[in-house]
């Protein structure tokens, strides 16, 4: 068996069919080189003007709303948790009578209804006093911003 080396073969780029034109700037001899023509830089956009409302306003609103939720939730859940702890760890206190035949546990259980109403009243009060004015200010500021954008 003898080994015959194959004749040297030069690679030529196949011709492109008429429906597929060659890529612009592609040189088959040196494919690692950048294209011959520089691509056009994208058009520069004008920087948008910042809106009048600040992110700090939204932070203040979130903080006021968080405080409102905590106040109302801790009022209702705090009392309910206290009632459960007393029921589990102080049964003699819960079974003691306040009046003739009226145990302390029953009075504390019935007091949960007014405490829930108190939590609702606290929620409404803090909403009107703290959260709603901040939200109204941000809403008014966003309307001014929307009018400013419409007039451009």
């Amino acid at each position: 068996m003898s080994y015959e080396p194959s004749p040297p073969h030069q690679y030529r780029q196949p011709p492109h069919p008429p429906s597929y034109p060659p890529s612009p700037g592609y040189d088959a001899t040196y494919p690692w080189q950048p294209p011959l023509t520089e691509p056009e830089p994208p058009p520069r956009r004008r920087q948008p003007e910042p809106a009048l409302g600040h992110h700090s306003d939204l932070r203040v609103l979130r903080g006021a709303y968080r405080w409102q939720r905590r106040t109302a939730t801790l009022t209702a859940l705090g009392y309910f948790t206290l009632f459960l702890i007393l029921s589990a760890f102080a049964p003699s206190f819960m079974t003691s009578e306040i009046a003739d035949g009226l145990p302390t546990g029953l009075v504390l259980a019935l007091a949960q209804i007014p405490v829930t109403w108190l939590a609702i009243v606290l929620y409404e009060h803090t909403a009107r006093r703290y959260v709603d004015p901040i939200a109204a200010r941000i809403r008014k500021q966003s309307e001014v911003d929307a009018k400013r954008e419409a007039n451009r």
Side-chain angles (χ1 to χ4, degrees):
M1 263 196 180
S2 69
Y3 176 75
E4 294 181 21
S6 62
H9 179 69
Q10 274 203 339
Y11 175 77
R12 289 189 328 171
Q13 185 176 8
H16 291 285
S19 60
Y20 299 110
S23 301
Y26 178 74
D27 185 9
T29 310
Y30 304 106
W32 60 86
Q33 287 184 338
L36 298 177
T37 59
E38 288 292 322
E40 293 182 23
R44 296 194 72 176
R45 293 185 189 172
R46 198 177 92 205
Q47 292 292 334
E49 294 179 16
L52 289 178
H54 298 287
H55 295 290
S56 63
D57 292 339
L58 293 175
R59 253 184 253 120
V60 168
L61 179 64
R62 282 193 302 267
Y65 185 60
R66 191 178 307 118
W67 180 256
Q68 175 192 22
R69 287 191 321 252
R70 286 179 185 164
T71 303
T73 303
L74 290 177
T75 301
L77 289 180
Y79 183 81
F80 183 70
T81 304
L82 175 69
F83 177 75
L84 289 178
I85 289 171
L86 287 175
S87 297
F89 297 110
S92 59
F93 173 73
M94 296 298 272
T95 56
S96 64
E97 293 184 1
I98 293 178
D100 292 332
L102 188 62
T104 307
L106 181 61
V107 172
L108 292 176
L110 292 175
Q112 285 183 1
I113 294 171
V115 168
T116 305
W117 289 340
L118 176 67
I120 293 169
V121 167
L122 276 172
Y123 190 86
E124 288 292 321
H125 173 73
T126 56
R128 286 192 188 116
R129 183 158 185 192
Y130 301 108
V131 178
D132 290 347
I134 298 170
R137 185 178 73 221
I138 293 173
R139 189 177 304 115
K140 184 178 178 181
Q141 197 71 34
S142 66
E143 289 172 1
V144 169
D145 290 341
K147 287 179 184 177
R148 178 193 289 168
E149 288 293 323
N151 290 336
R152 286 187 180 194

